[in-house]
Amino acid sequence: MSKIINLYEAKKNGVFQVTSVPDIGLLENLGLRNGTKVVVESRYALGGPVLLRIENTFAVAIGKDIATQIAVKEVVRQ
């Protein structure tokens, strides 16, 4: 069973499944909801944003303040 962490703590190139998302409409519009799979492509230094790929479709940068509110668990690559 995978440990639940926040998105900002997620390791680069890891595949994660979203388990909890704050109630922010833009995140829903981007497709970030419970069950969504994301790949962390980069995490910028000094508290910068996290760049992630959503469901193997498009990349989006999420600020640290929001990324720390998104709970994820690591999944096995398929």
Side-chain angles (χ1 to χ4, degrees), residues 2-70:
S2 295
K3 179 175 127 181
I4 294 183
I5 59 173
N6 71 58
L7 185 59
Y8 195 75
E9 297 172 331
K11 68 182 179 186
K12 184 177 176 182
N13 296 321
V15 179
F16 298 87
Q17 183 173 23
V18 176
T19 61
S20 175
V21 181
D23 188 20
I24 299 173
L26 179 60
L27 297 178
E28 174 90 16
N29 292 340
L30 291 171
L32 273 174
R33 55 185 68 91
N34 291 346
T36 301
K37 287 187 182 167
V38 298
V39 175
V40 176
E41 293 192 345
S42 184
R43 184 176 58 232
Y44 294 90
L46 304 173
V50 176
L51 181 65
L52 55 115
R53 184 158 301 278
I54 300 173
E55 294 284 351
N56 291 322
T57 56
F58 61 93
V60 63
I62 304 289
K64 180 182 179 182
D65 56 333
I66 295 174
T68 57
Q69 297 177 53
I70 300 171

